[in-house]
Amino acid sequence: MFDGFDEFDIETSGATIHGRRGGSGPPVLLLHGIPETHLMWHRIAPQLAENFTVVATDLRGWGDSGKPPSTADHEPYSMRAIARDQIEVMRSLGHEQFRLVGHDRGARCAYRLALDEPDAVTRLAVLDVVPIGDVYNRADKTFSLSYWVWSFLAAPASVPERFIDAAPAVLVDFMLDTWPEVKDAFPPEVRAAYVRQFSDPATVHAICEEFRAAATLDYQQDEADRGHRKIACPVLFLWSQRGQVAKLYDDPLAIWREWADDVRGEPVPVGHFIPEEAPEQTLRQLLDFLS
C-alpha cells in the first residue's frame, strides 16, 4: 500500500512515534483519525509522494506508536502533547517547516500544532471537524445522541476500557459500518488493522485518555486562545456532506473563519472517512491547496 515508503520509529521527548516516509519535494505531514492509523492514507500518500516528501504517522497512543503512562489531568494525551510529538518527528527528519493535513483526531492535533507552532506550519488542511471548543459550546441533544462515542470514550476509567476490551470489534465495526457512505471503503487488511489496535488494552486506554483530555485540557486551551490567537497559515477545510458536521452546523466553514483569516473549503458528497471514501477528490483538493 505504501510502495517506496520507508517505515520509522522515532523517539520524541514523550513517546516513540511510528510512521512512514516517502517521496521527494516539500514536506507534508498526514495525521489520522478514529478508529484508524496512518494506513488511512494508503489511497492518498503514494500519489502525494510524486510531488511531496510525505510523512504519515500513528498518533501517540495509536497503532504502533508508544503509549506512555497518563496522569490524573490526562495531560500526556492532550492535543498539545500529541502535537509536540509530531513537530519533534518532523524536525528529526530535517523539516523545520511543513504542510499539515489531519482528519478527525488528527485534524485536532493539526490545528493545535498550527496554533502553538505558527512558524512551522505553512499550510493546514483539516478534514471533517470543527474546533473542540466550538464542539462543546454548541453541543445539544442532537450532538449528545449522534456523537455518543465522544461521551462514552471520555467516561471515567476504566468503564469504557472494560467494555471495549470485552468485544474490541464492536465499536470499530460500528464506526466503519455506520459513518461512511461508501461501504467498501476499507480493504479487509486495513479494517483488520483498525480492529487489531482496539484489541490492545494499552491502546484502548490511551484512546480513552485522549477523549478525556479533549473534554478538559483541549477545551480549556481552545477557550484560552479564542479571540486571542489565530492560525497564521492558509487553511483548507473539507467536510462530509452526508455526515454529522453538516447536520450539526449550518455553516461549518464560518466556524473555521473565526480561527483563521485565510480559509477555504467545501463539502464532499461522502461520509465521514473522506480520504478513504473519496480519494480522488481528496487528492485533487490537496494538490491544489498544498502546491
Side-chain angles (χ1 to χ4, degrees):
M1 289 186 178
F2 287 83
D3 288 344
F5 278 65
D6 298 321
E7 290 192 72
F8 62 76
D9 292 281
I10 293 176
E11 290 284 346
T12 72
S13 58
T16 301
I17 301 301
H18 179 77
R20 300 180 195 242
R21 176 178 60 171
S24 61
V28 178
L29 174 61
L30 306 178
L31 302 177
H32 66 85
I34 187 173
E36 300 143 310
T37 67
H38 76 278
L39 294 179
M40 69 163 286
W41 301 105
H42 70 94
R43 291 189 174 107
I44 302 288
Q47 287 73 29
L48 277 180
E50 295 175 6
N51 300 90
F52 300 95
T53 298
V54 176
V55 179
T57 63
D58 293 341
L59 298 173
R60 175 190 296 203
W62 297 77
D64 291 323
S65 286
K67 289 89 176 160
S70 192
T71 56
D73 64 356
H74 321 298
E75 190 280 333
Y77 289 93
S78 67
M79 285 303 170
R80 177 162 284 162
I82 294 170
R84 194 178 305 125
D85 289 332
Q86 300 302 320
I87 196 164
E88 290 180 25
V89 164
M90 293 303 280
R91 286 173 177 166
S92 73
L93 294 173
H95 307 307
E96 293 294 327
Q97 291 187 315
F98 50 91
R99 294 150 173 82
L100 182 53
V101 182
H103 172 257
D104 190 89
R105 309 308 296 172
R108 303 194 180 287
C109 174
Y111 84 76
R112 174 45 56 192
L113 196 160
L115 284 167
D116 288 352
E117 299 283 349
D119 293 335
V121 182
T122 59
R123 285 183 176 261
L124 171 67
V126 290
L127 278 58
D128 215 39
V129 299
V130 299
I132 193 73
D134 293 278
V135 169
Y136 279 112
N137 287 342
R138 298 165 187 260
D140 58 11
K141 178 183 177 182
T142 301
F143 172 88
S144 68
L145 293 175
S146 60
Y147 270 99
W148 62 267
V149 170
W150 277 50
S151 299
F152 171 65
L153 293 175
S158 58
V159 173
E161 286 96 331
R162 293 177 67 182
F163 277 106
I164 297 170
D165 290 345
V170 170
L171 183 61
V172 178
D173 286 342
F174 169 80
M175 290 184 274
L176 298 184
D177 292 341
T178 65
W179 292 358
E181 289 287 317
V182 180
K183 301 304 182 184
D184 61 350
F186 312 101
E189 63 271 31
V190 172
R191 179 184 281 261
Y194 297 163
V195 172
R196 186 164 55 249
Q197 70 170 342
F198 275 77
S199 302
D200 174 22
T203 300
V204 171
H205 178 62
I207 291 170
C208 291
E209 282 295 285
E210 183 189 296
F211 277 81
R212 292 169 187 135
T216 52
L217 292 175
D218 295 348
Y219 175 80
Q220 293 161 13
Q221 289 160 9
D222 269 20
E223 291 305 287
D225 285 340
R226 186 183 299 278
H228 301 287
R229 285 207 293 177
K230 283 190 171 185
I231 298 166
C233 65
V235 175
L236 172 68
F237 172 47
L238 302 178
W239 68 98
S240 163
Q241 194 172 40
R242 314 280 170 77
Q244 296 302 323
V245 169
K247 293 175 183 177
L248 287 169
Y249 311 110
D250 293 334
D251 189 354
L253 195 58
I255 296 175
W256 278 107
R257 287 181 170 143
E258 297 174 5
W259 288 90
D261 293 326
D262 184 351
V263 181
R264 69 208 73 177
E266 64 181 39
V268 182
V270 293
H272 174 63
F273 301 102
I274 296 171
E276 289 168 288
E277 295 184 66
E280 293 181 1
Q281 184 172 350
T282 305
L283 180 63
R284 184 171 61 252
Q285 288 273 7
L286 291 179
L287 287 173
D288 288 344
F289 177 67
L290 299 175
S291 297

Short mmCIF file of all heavy atoms in Angstrom, two decimals, residues 14-62:
data_model
loop_
_atom_site.label_atom_id
_atom_site.label_comp_id
_atom_site.label_asym_id
_atom_site.label_seq_id
_atom_site.Cartn_x
_atom_site.Cartn_y
_atom_site.Cartn_z
N GLY A 14 8.32 12.58 24.50
CA GLY A 14 7.20 11.99 25.24
C GLY A 14 6.79 10.60 24.83
O GLY A 14 6.07 9.93 25.56
N ALA A 15 7.22 10.14 23.64
CA ALA A 15 6.76 8.83 23.16
C ALA A 15 7.61 8.41 21.97
O ALA A 15 8.39 9.20 21.43
CB ALA A 15 5.30 8.90 22.76
N THR A 16 7.45 7.17 21.56
CA THR A 16 8.01 6.69 20.31
C THR A 16 6.93 6.76 19.25
O THR A 16 5.83 6.23 19.44
CB THR A 16 8.51 5.24 20.43
OG1 THR A 16 9.49 5.16 21.45
CG2 THR A 16 9.12 4.77 19.11
N ILE A 17 7.22 7.41 18.13
CA ILE A 17 6.22 7.60 17.09
C ILE A 17 6.59 6.75 15.88
O ILE A 17 7.69 6.84 15.35
CB ILE A 17 6.11 9.08 16.69
CG1 ILE A 17 5.72 9.93 17.91
CG2 ILE A 17 5.10 9.25 15.55
CD1 ILE A 17 4.40 9.54 18.56
N HIS A 18 5.61 5.95 15.47
CA HIS A 18 5.76 5.08 14.30
C HIS A 18 5.17 5.75 13.08
O HIS A 18 4.14 6.44 13.17
CB HIS A 18 5.06 3.75 14.54
CG HIS A 18 5.16 2.81 13.37
ND1 HIS A 18 6.30 2.10 13.09
CD2 HIS A 18 4.25 2.48 12.40
CE1 HIS A 18 6.10 1.37 12.01
NE2 HIS A 18 4.87 1.57 11.57
N GLY A 19 5.82 5.55 11.93
CA GLY A 19 5.26 6.12 10.71
C GLY A 19 5.98 5.66 9.48
O GLY A 19 6.82 4.75 9.51
N ARG A 20 5.65 6.29 8.37
CA ARG A 20 6.27 6.00 7.08
C ARG A 20 6.60 7.32 6.39
O ARG A 20 5.90 8.32 6.56
CB ARG A 20 5.34 5.18 6.19
CG ARG A 20 4.93 3.84 6.75
CD ARG A 20 4.02 3.11 5.80
NE ARG A 20 3.34 2.00 6.45
CZ ARG A 20 3.47 0.73 6.10
NH1 ARG A 20 4.29 0.40 5.11
NH2 ARG A 20 2.81 -0.22 6.72
N ARG A 21 7.66 7.25 5.56
CA ARG A 21 8.09 8.42 4.81
C ARG A 21 8.41 8.00 3.39
O ARG A 21 9.04 6.96 3.16
CB ARG A 21 9.32 9.06 5.45
CG ARG A 21 9.89 10.23 4.66
CD ARG A 21 11.07 10.86 5.35
NE ARG A 21 12.16 9.90 5.55
CZ ARG A 21 13.38 10.23 5.99
NH1 ARG A 21 13.64 11.49 6.30
NH2 ARG A 21 14.31 9.30 6.12
N GLY A 22 7.98 8.83 2.42
CA GLY A 22 8.27 8.53 1.02
C GLY A 22 8.16 9.77 0.17
O GLY A 22 7.63 10.80 0.59
N GLY A 23 8.69 9.68 -1.05
CA GLY A 23 8.61 10.78 -2.00
C GLY A 23 9.72 11.79 -1.84
O GLY A 23 10.67 11.60 -1.08
N SER A 24 9.59 12.88 -2.57
CA SER A 24 10.56 13.97 -2.50
C SER A 24 9.85 15.28 -2.81
O SER A 24 8.79 15.29 -3.44
CB SER A 24 11.71 13.74 -3.50
OG SER A 24 11.21 13.70 -4.83
N GLY A 25 10.44 16.36 -2.35
CA GLY A 25 9.82 17.66 -2.52
C GLY A 25 9.46 18.27 -1.18
O GLY A 25 9.91 17.80 -0.12
N PRO A 26 8.65 19.32 -1.16
CA PRO A 26 8.26 19.96 0.10
C PRO A 26 7.60 18.96 1.03
O PRO A 26 6.82 18.11 0.59
CB PRO A 26 7.27 21.05 -0.35
CG PRO A 26 7.57 21.28 -1.79
CD PRO A 26 8.03 19.98 -2.34
N PRO A 27 7.88 19.03 2.33
CA PRO A 27 7.33 18.04 3.27
C PRO A 27 5.86 18.27 3.61
O PRO A 27 5.41 19.40 3.78
CB PRO A 27 8.21 18.22 4.51
CG PRO A 27 8.70 19.63 4.42
CD PRO A 27 8.84 19.94 2.97
N VAL A 28 5.14 17.15 3.72
CA VAL A 28 3.74 17.14 4.13
C VAL A 28 3.57 16.08 5.20
O VAL A 28 4.00 14.93 5.03
CB VAL A 28 2.79 16.81 2.95
CG1 VAL A 28 1.34 16.76 3.44
CG2 VAL A 28 2.93 17.83 1.84
N LEU A 29 2.94 16.44 6.31
CA LEU A 29 2.65 15.50 7.40
C LEU A 29 1.17 15.16 7.38
O LEU A 29 0.31 16.05 7.38
CB LEU A 29 3.04 16.12 8.75
CG LEU A 29 2.67 15.34 10.01
CD1 LEU A 29 3.35 13.97 10.03
CD2 LEU A 29 3.03 16.14 11.26
N LEU A 30 0.85 13.86 7.38
CA LEU A 30 -0.52 13.36 7.36
C LEU A 30 -0.86 12.72 8.71
O LEU A 30 -0.13 11.83 9.17
CB LEU A 30 -0.70 12.33 6.25
CG LEU A 30 -0.30 12.74 4.83
CD1 LEU A 30 -0.50 11.56 3.87
CD2 LEU A 30 -1.08 13.96 4.36
N LEU A 31 -1.96 13.13 9.31
CA LEU A 31 -2.37 12.63 10.62
C LEU A 31 -3.77 12.02 10.54
O LEU A 31 -4.68 12.58 9.94
CB LEU A 31 -2.36 13.77 11.65
CG LEU A 31 -1.01 14.48 11.83
CD1 LEU A 31 -1.15 15.62 12.82
CD2 LEU A 31 0.07 13.51 12.27
N HIS A 32 -3.95 10.88 11.18
CA HIS A 32 -5.15 10.06 11.04
C HIS A 32 -6.21 10.37 12.08
O HIS A 32 -5.96 11.09 13.06
CB HIS A 32 -4.77 8.58 11.16
CG HIS A 32 -4.27 8.22 12.52
ND1 HIS A 32 -5.11 7.88 13.56
CD2 HIS A 32 -3.01 8.15 13.03
CE1 HIS A 32 -4.39 7.62 14.64
NE2 HIS A 32 -3.10 7.78 14.36
N GLY A 33 -7.39 9.76 11.89
CA GLY A 33 -8.49 9.90 12.82
C GLY A 33 -8.82 8.59 13.51
O GLY A 33 -8.05 7.63 13.49
N ILE A 34 -10.00 8.53 14.12
CA ILE A 34 -10.52 7.34 14.79
C ILE A 34 -11.45 6.61 13.84
O ILE A 34 -12.22 7.25 13.13
CB ILE A 34 -11.26 7.72 16.08
CG1 ILE A 34 -11.65 6.48 16.90
CG2 ILE A 34 -12.49 8.57 15.83
CD1 ILE A 34 -12.23 6.80 18.28
N PRO A 35 -11.39 5.28 13.79
CA PRO A 35 -10.60 4.33 14.57
C PRO A 35 -9.35 3.90 13.81
O PRO A 35 -8.93 2.75 13.89
CB PRO A 35 -11.57 3.15 14.72
CG PRO A 35 -12.29 3.12 13.39
CD PRO A 35 -12.43 4.57 12.98
N GLU A 36 -8.74 4.81 13.09
CA GLU A 36 -7.73 4.48 12.10
C GLU A 36 -6.31 4.59 12.64
O GLU A 36 -6.08 4.94 13.80
CB GLU A 36 -7.91 5.41 10.89
CG GLU A 36 -9.28 5.28 10.24
CD GLU A 36 -9.83 6.60 9.73
OE1 GLU A 36 -9.82 7.58 10.51
OE2 GLU A 36 -10.24 6.66 8.58
N THR A 37 -5.39 4.31 11.75
CA THR A 37 -3.96 4.56 11.93
C THR A 37 -3.49 5.29 10.69
O THR A 37 -4.31 5.71 9.85
CB THR A 37 -3.17 3.24 12.07
OG1 THR A 37 -3.22 2.54 10.82
CG2 THR A 37 -3.75 2.35 13.17
N HIS A 38 -2.17 5.43 10.54
CA HIS A 38 -1.65 6.10 9.34
C HIS A 38 -2.04 5.37 8.06
O HIS A 38 -1.98 5.94 6.97
CB HIS A 38 -0.12 6.23 9.42
CG HIS A 38 0.61 4.96 9.14
ND1 HIS A 38 0.81 3.97 10.09
CD2 HIS A 38 1.20 4.50 8.00
CE1 HIS A 38 1.48 2.97 9.56
NE2 HIS A 38 1.74 3.27 8.29
N LEU A 39 -2.51 4.12 8.18
CA LEU A 39 -2.93 3.37 7.00
C LEU A 39 -4.10 4.02 6.27
O LEU A 39 -4.34 3.73 5.10
CB LEU A 39 -3.31 1.94 7.38
CG LEU A 39 -2.18 1.04 7.90
CD1 LEU A 39 -2.75 -0.33 8.26
CD2 LEU A 39 -1.07 0.91 6.87
N MET A 40 -4.83 4.91 6.93
CA MET A 40 -5.97 5.56 6.29
C MET A 40 -5.56 6.35 5.05
O MET A 40 -6.39 6.64 4.18
CB MET A 40 -6.70 6.47 7.26
CG MET A 40 -5.93 7.71 7.66
SD MET A 40 -6.98 8.99 8.39
CE MET A 40 -7.82 9.62 6.94
N TRP A 41 -4.28 6.69 4.94
CA TRP A 41 -3.80 7.50 3.82
C TRP A 41 -3.30 6.65 2.66
O TRP A 41 -2.66 7.18 1.75
CB TRP A 41 -2.70 8.43 4.31
CG TRP A 41 -3.14 9.35 5.40
CD1 TRP A 41 -2.82 9.26 6.73
CD2 TRP A 41 -3.98 10.51 5.27
NE1 TRP A 41 -3.42 10.27 7.43
CE2 TRP A 41 -4.14 11.05 6.57
CE3 TRP A 41 -4.62 11.12 4.19
CZ2 TRP A 41 -4.89 12.20 6.81
CZ3 TRP A 41 -5.40 12.25 4.43
CH2 TRP A 41 -5.52 12.78 5.73
N HIS A 42 -3.58 5.35 2.65
CA HIS A 42 -2.98 4.48 1.65
C HIS A 42 -3.42 4.79 0.23
O HIS A 42 -2.71 4.45 -0.73
CB HIS A 42 -3.25 3.00 1.98
CG HIS A 42 -4.68 2.58 1.82
ND1 HIS A 42 -5.16 2.01 0.66
CD2 HIS A 42 -5.73 2.65 2.67
CE1 HIS A 42 -6.45 1.74 0.81
NE2 HIS A 42 -6.82 2.11 2.01
N ARG A 43 -4.59 5.45 0.06
CA ARG A 43 -5.02 5.82 -1.27
C ARG A 43 -4.58 7.24 -1.66
O ARG A 43 -4.80 7.66 -2.79
CB ARG A 43 -6.55 5.74 -1.37
CG ARG A 43 -7.10 4.32 -1.31
CD ARG A 43 -8.60 4.31 -1.64
NE ARG A 43 -9.10 2.94 -1.74
CZ ARG A 43 -9.87 2.37 -0.82
NH1 ARG A 43 -10.21 3.04 0.27
NH2 ARG A 43 -10.31 1.13 -0.98
N ILE A 44 -3.99 7.95 -0.73
CA ILE A 44 -3.60 9.35 -0.95
C ILE A 44 -2.09 9.53 -0.97
O ILE A 44 -1.52 10.20 -1.84
CB ILE A 44 -4.19 10.26 0.16
CG1 ILE A 44 -5.71 10.14 0.21
CG2 ILE A 44 -3.74 11.70 0.01
CD1 ILE A 44 -6.43 10.79 -0.93
N ALA A 45 -1.40 8.91 0.00
CA ALA A 45 0.02 9.16 0.21
C ALA A 45 0.89 8.85 -1.01
O ALA A 45 1.77 9.66 -1.36
CB ALA A 45 0.52 8.39 1.44
N PRO A 46 0.72 7.70 -1.68
CA PRO A 46 1.61 7.42 -2.82
C PRO A 46 1.50 8.46 -3.94
O PRO A 46 2.51 8.81 -4.56
CB PRO A 46 1.14 6.04 -3.29
CG PRO A 46 0.54 5.41 -2.08
CD PRO A 46 -0.14 6.55 -1.37
N GLN A 47 0.30 8.98 -4.17
CA GLN A 47 0.12 10.00 -5.20
C GLN A 47 0.70 11.34 -4.75
O GLN A 47 1.32 12.05 -5.54
CB GLN A 47 -1.36 10.14 -5.55
CG GLN A 47 -1.92 8.98 -6.36
CD GLN A 47 -2.09 7.71 -5.53
OE1 GLN A 47 -2.32 7.77 -4.31
NE2 GLN A 47 -1.98 6.55 -6.17
N LEU A 48 0.50 11.69 -3.50
CA LEU A 48 1.10 12.92 -2.98
C LEU A 48 2.62 12.86 -3.06
O LEU A 48 3.29 13.87 -3.28
CB LEU A 48 0.68 13.15 -1.52
CG LEU A 48 -0.67 13.80 -1.25
CD1 LEU A 48 -0.89 13.92 0.25
CD2 LEU A 48 -0.78 15.17 -1.90
N ALA A 49 3.16 11.65 -2.87
CA ALA A 49 4.63 11.49 -2.86
C ALA A 49 5.26 11.75 -4.22
O ALA A 49 6.48 11.87 -4.32
CB ALA A 49 4.98 10.09 -2.38
N GLU A 50 4.45 11.86 -5.26
CA GLU A 50 5.00 12.23 -6.57
C GLU A 50 5.41 13.69 -6.60
O GLU A 50 6.20 14.10 -7.47
CB GLU A 50 3.97 11.94 -7.66
CG GLU A 50 3.64 10.46 -7.81
CD GLU A 50 2.53 10.21 -8.81
OE1 GLU A 50 2.10 11.19 -9.47
OE2 GLU A 50 2.10 9.05 -8.94
N ASN A 51 4.87 14.49 -5.66
CA ASN A 51 5.17 15.92 -5.63
C ASN A 51 5.75 16.40 -4.30
O ASN A 51 6.31 17.49 -4.24
CB ASN A 51 3.90 16.73 -5.90
CG ASN A 51 3.29 16.45 -7.25
OD1 ASN A 51 2.45 15.56 -7.38
ND2 ASN A 51 3.71 17.18 -8.27
N PHE A 52 5.61 15.57 -3.26
CA PHE A 52 5.99 15.99 -1.92
C PHE A 52 6.75 14.88 -1.20
O PHE A 52 6.63 13.71 -1.54
CB PHE A 52 4.75 16.35 -1.08
CG PHE A 52 3.92 17.46 -1.64
CD1 PHE A 52 2.81 17.18 -2.44
CD2 PHE A 52 4.22 18.78 -1.38
CE1 PHE A 52 2.03 18.19 -2.96
CE2 PHE A 52 3.45 19.80 -1.90
CZ PHE A 52 2.35 19.51 -2.69
N THR A 53 7.51 15.29 -0.18
CA THR A 53 8.01 14.32 0.81
C THR A 53 6.88 14.09 1.80
O THR A 53 6.50 15.01 2.54
CB THR A 53 9.25 14.85 1.52
OG1 THR A 53 10.30 15.06 0.57
CG2 THR A 53 9.72 13.87 2.58
N VAL A 54 6.33 12.90 1.81
CA VAL A 54 5.14 12.61 2.60
C VAL A 54 5.53 11.82 3.85
O VAL A 54 6.21 10.79 3.77
CB VAL A 54 4.11 11.80 1.78
CG1 VAL A 54 2.92 11.42 2.64
CG2 VAL A 54 3.67 12.62 0.56
N VAL A 55 5.09 12.30 4.99
CA VAL A 55 5.27 11.63 6.27
C VAL A 55 3.89 11.34 6.84
O VAL A 55 3.05 12.24 6.95
CB VAL A 55 6.07 12.51 7.26
CG1 VAL A 55 6.23 11.80 8.60
CG2 VAL A 55 7.43 12.89 6.68
N ALA A 56 3.62 10.07 7.16
CA ALA A 56 2.35 9.66 7.76
C ALA A 56 2.65 8.91 9.04
O ALA A 56 3.42 7.95 9.04
CB ALA A 56 1.55 8.79 6.80
N THR A 57 2.06 9.33 10.14
CA THR A 57 2.39 8.76 11.45
C THR A 57 1.17 8.21 12.16
O THR A 57 0.03 8.58 11.86
CB THR A 57 3.03 9.82 12.36
OG1 THR A 57 2.07 10.87 12.60
CG2 THR A 57 4.29 10.40 11.74
N ASP A 58 1.43 7.34 13.13
CA ASP A 58 0.43 6.96 14.13
C ASP A 58 0.56 7.95 15.28
O ASP A 58 1.66 8.15 15.82
CB ASP A 58 0.68 5.55 14.66
CG ASP A 58 0.45 4.47 13.61
OD1 ASP A 58 -0.22 4.75 12.60
OD2 ASP A 58 0.96 3.35 13.80
N LEU A 59 -0.54 8.56 15.68
CA LEU A 59 -0.52 9.46 16.81
C LEU A 59 -0.11 8.72 18.09
O LEU A 59 -0.28 7.50 18.20
CB LEU A 59 -1.90 10.08 17.03
CG LEU A 59 -2.46 10.95 15.88
CD1 LEU A 59 -3.89 11.33 16.19
CD2 LEU A 59 -1.60 12.18 15.66
N ARG A 60 0.44 9.46 19.02
CA ARG A 60 0.72 8.87 20.34
C ARG A 60 -0.50 8.10 20.86
O ARG A 60 -1.63 8.59 20.84
CB ARG A 60 1.06 10.00 21.33
CG ARG A 60 1.24 9.53 22.75
CD ARG A 60 1.34 10.66 23.74
NE ARG A 60 2.51 11.51 23.52
CZ ARG A 60 3.08 12.28 24.45
NH1 ARG A 60 2.58 12.28 25.69
NH2 ARG A 60 4.11 13.03 24.18
N GLY A 61 -0.26 6.87 21.30
CA GLY A 61 -1.34 6.04 21.83
C GLY A 61 -2.01 5.16 20.80
O GLY A 61 -2.69 4.21 21.16
N TRP A 62 -1.80 5.44 19.52
CA TRP A 62 -2.49 4.71 18.45
C TRP A 62 -1.53 3.81 17.69
O TRP A 62 -0.32 4.07 17.63
CB TRP A 62 -3.11 5.70 17.46
CG TRP A 62 -4.16 6.58 18.03
CD1 TRP A 62 -3.96 7.68 18.82
CD2 TRP A 62 -5.57 6.47 17.87
NE1 TRP A 62 -5.16 8.26 19.15
CE2 TRP A 62 -6.17 7.53 18.58
CE3 TRP A 62 -6.39 5.57 17.18
CZ2 TRP A 62 -7.55 7.71 18.62
CZ3 TRP A 62 -7.77 5.76 17.22
CH2 TRP A 62 -8.32 6.82 17.94
#
